[in-house]
Amino acid sequence: MSARLDHHSTPENPRAIVLLLHGGQERSLEPVENKHASWWRMALMARSLQHFAERTDLRLSLLQYGQRGWNSDSGPTPVADARWALDQLVDAHPDVPILLVGHSMGGRTACRVADHPSVVGVVGLAPWLPNGEPNQHIARRHLRVLHGTADRWTSAAASKEYVERSRSIAASATWTALSGAGHFMFRRRSTWQRFVEDSLLDILDSATSHEGAPNKGLA
C-alpha cells in the first residue's frame, strides 16, 4: 500500500509547512489503515491544530505510511515515506520552511529526515529514540522534545540522552518532562497540543530571525 498525505490547512501562501508523522511498530509489513490507533492519534492532533494552523498561516499535513513497521534500521519504511512526503510538499511550495512533528516512531522518523534542506526543526512527542540512535541528521536544526515521565512504551531517559547528545550540533535542542503522563497523549491532551503550538512558533521565530527569511541551504 502506498503512503498518503492528508491536508488539514492549506493557505495559498503559507508561512511554513507542518508535517505530522504518526507512530507504528518495530516490525510489521501490515498496511496502515485509518482504524489503527497510531495513525488516528495524530489525525486527532491534526484536527486539534487546524484552527491554530489557519490562524498562523501554516500548511498542515499528515502523512500516513504505507506500512506500520520501522522494519529495517538500514532502510526504515517510514523514513522513505517521509522523504517522499517532503518532496511532495516542496514541489507545491518551494522555499517554504518545513517543521516536523512526530509521535513515537514518528519522532524517530522526523529526526532521521531532518537533514532535508527545507526542514528547519523537529518537535518530538514521546519519541522512540533508542540508545545509540544516529543524530547527525539533526545538525543545524531546532529540536524540541516532550516526554511523559510515566511512559512505558518509549524511554524518556533515552530521548533525553539523544537531546543532550545533539546540543553540540543542533541549532538548539530542549527536552521537557511531562510529569505523570504516559505514551499515548490521553492524559493532559491540551498540554501536548500547547507544547506543539509553542514549539512550532518558537522554532519558526528562531529559523526566520536572520533578516526575516528562513534558513537556506541547510543540508
Side-chain angles (χ1 to χ4, degrees):
M1 192 172 188
S2 300
R4 187 186 84 210
L5 266 176
D6 294 338
H7 306 292
H8 292 262
S9 172
T10 56
E12 185 175 351
N13 296 299
R15 174 188 179 192
I17 298 168
V18 178
L19 177 60
L20 302 179
L21 302 170
H22 64 84
Q25 299 181 355
E26 185 171 358
R27 296 189 181 278
S28 175
L29 300 179
E30 182 183 0
V32 178
E33 299 182 37
N34 291 2
K35 67 180 181 181
H36 291 137
S38 57
W39 181 85
W40 59 251
R41 189 174 295 115
M42 286 304 273
L44 288 175
M45 176 66 76
R47 289 189 210 124
S48 298
L49 291 171
Q50 185 168 345
H51 177 68
F52 162 79
E54 292 171 347
R55 178 168 47 85
T56 53
D57 292 322
L58 301 177
R59 176 165 183 163
L60 180 64
S61 300
L62 169 64
L63 172 64
Q64 184 177 93
Y65 314 129
Q67 297 177 351
R68 299 185 72 187
W70 181 262
N71 295 327
S72 169
D73 204 43
S74 60
T77 302
V79 170
D81 290 344
R83 291 198 182 280
W84 167 81
L86 287 168
D87 289 342
Q88 297 296 308
L89 294 169
V90 170
D91 284 346
H93 296 284
D95 299 322
V96 174
I98 298 177
L99 303 98
L100 306 174
V101 179
H103 174 254
S104 193
M105 186 180 76
R108 188 180 188 183
T109 301
C111 289
R112 286 287 185 102
V113 302
D115 58 352
H116 189 285
S118 292
V119 172
V120 296
V122 170
V123 181
L125 307 173
W128 173 36
L129 294 168
N131 291 328
E133 176 68 11
N135 71 335
Q136 67 268 24
H137 313 85
I138 208 72
R140 299 181 64 195
R141 273 63 176 177
H142 299 275
L143 176 63
R144 304 287 181 270
V145 171
L146 180 65
H147 216 131
T149 60
D151 194 325
R152 297 182 180 180
W153 288 77
T154 58
S155 170
S159 74
K160 184 177 183 181
E161 188 275 335
Y162 178 93
V163 171
E164 291 175 345
R165 185 160 43 91
S166 299
R167 285 195 173 116
S168 63
I169 62 171
S172 65
T174 66
W175 186 91
T176 303
L178 187 54
S179 180
H183 185 67
F184 301 111
M185 301 189 295
F186 292 142
R187 292 189 62 188
R188 302 173 67 179
R189 282 184 58 190
S190 62
T191 303
W192 292 98
Q193 179 181 336
R194 188 167 60 250
F195 179 84
V196 172
E197 294 174 353
D198 291 347
S199 296
L200 292 174
L201 294 178
D202 179 44
I203 291 172
L204 267 180
D205 286 344
S206 298
T208 61
S209 60
H210 182 61
E211 296 183 356
N215 292 330
K216 298 293 198 303
L218 285 174

